[in-house]
Amino acid sequence: MPDRHGPFRVARFLLEIDGVAKAGFTRCRIPDSSTAVVEYREGNDPPTPRKLAGLNEYGSLELRYGVTTDAIELYEWRRLVEQGKVDEARRSIAVVLLDEEGAPAARWELRNAWPRRYAAPTLDAGRSAVAIETLEIVCEGLRRVDTGSETDGAGERAEHGPPTPRKPSEGLTDLTRRYRPDERPNLTRKSPDEG
């Protein structure tokens, strides 16, 4: 077990695409998650608008990687979108931050992700540098997932064995809690004389 002092470092990470392909990148910017604010006010309200929650918005996942002879798959993935096959291009993606020993330390899962932009490297005969490609990926949902490590607050589970591995898409299709009809909470109010 690694000696855990402070937060995890950003230098070790990998990507899982559809839970199968594992790929390494030189840089990965994880999307942000925000909710739009809708201001609303009626004439008899105080002179301050109400702040209502609007649509949830997710940023883009940006990946940078060095050009190699066998790294054509990501460009081919982008070509599906250019050909109008967006539904075929949608993938479940997981970004996994690794600890000092290479074990998963933190995990972010993206739902219905597809590449919106590809940028080829800038070539310059006067520089000694690596040719870097960039892929920008959009998604319809982002979720940070508990990896079961002690630093994620899952130390109590260690007695019962390791956590069950998750598929990147598991739990992302419906983020709302569902109740069976017999488990629905009773939301009716009792009148004061009902006790």
Side-chain angles (χ1 to χ4, degrees):
M1 176 177 236
D3 187 16
R4 265 286 15 101
H5 289 289
F8 292 105
R9 305 341 178 242
V10 298
R12 296 189 74 185
F13 59 92
L14 57 84
L15 233 74
E16 294 176 3
I17 300 174
D18 273 341
V20 180
K22 289 186 169 60
F25 297 89
T26 60
R27 184 170 182 191
C28 172
R29 185 175 52 82
I30 299 171
D32 56 346
S33 170
S34 63
T35 302
V37 176
V38 178
E39 293 190 355
Y40 175 76
R41 185 178 176 280
E42 294 175 353
N44 59 350
D45 284 345
T48 305
R50 297 180 209 175
K51 305 288 186 181
L52 307 176
L55 298 175
N56 293 326
E57 300 170 356
Y58 303 98
S60 298
L61 173 69
E62 185 177 293
L63 303 172
R64 294 185 183 177
Y65 52 96
V67 176
T68 61
T69 55
D70 59 348
I72 195 76
E73 291 88 0
L74 293 173
Y75 177 75
E76 293 298 326
W77 183 25
R78 167 68 190 146
R79 289 278 298 149
L80 287 174
V81 176
E82 291 174 357
Q83 295 165 358
K85 301 175 183 176
V86 178
D87 284 341
E88 191 178 328
R90 292 180 190 276
R91 305 277 189 269
S92 295
I93 294 179
V95 179
V96 183
L97 180 66
L98 304 175
D99 66 15
E100 292 81 359
E101 291 182 343
R107 181 183 182 95
W108 293 265
E109 295 179 349
L110 287 73
R111 176 174 49 92
N112 288 335
W114 52 272
R116 74 170 288 267
R117 185 176 69 89
Y118 164 82
T122 301
L123 306 177
D124 185 346
R127 291 181 57 210
S128 294
V130 172
I132 299 291
E133 292 176 291
T134 304
L135 195 65
E136 186 178 339
I137 299 170
V138 295
C139 66
E140 295 177 3
L142 170 71
R143 186 174 112 175
R144 170 124 189 243
V145 179
D146 181 10
T147 61
S149 66
E150 289 181 21
T151 55
D152 280 37
E156 298 169 11
R157 281 190 300 197
E159 306 168 359
H160 307 293
T164 306
R166 303 174 198 215
K167 297 177 190 169
S169 59
E170 185 178 324
L172 287 175
T173 53
D174 184 7
L175 299 179
T176 60
R177 183 175 176 189
R178 292 183 179 240
Y179 294 96
R180 285 184 276 171
D182 56 325
E183 292 179 345
R184 284 199 180 143
N186 184 1
L187 300 178
T188 56
R189 288 190 179 162
K190 293 182 180 180
S191 63
D193 38 318
E194 282 183 60

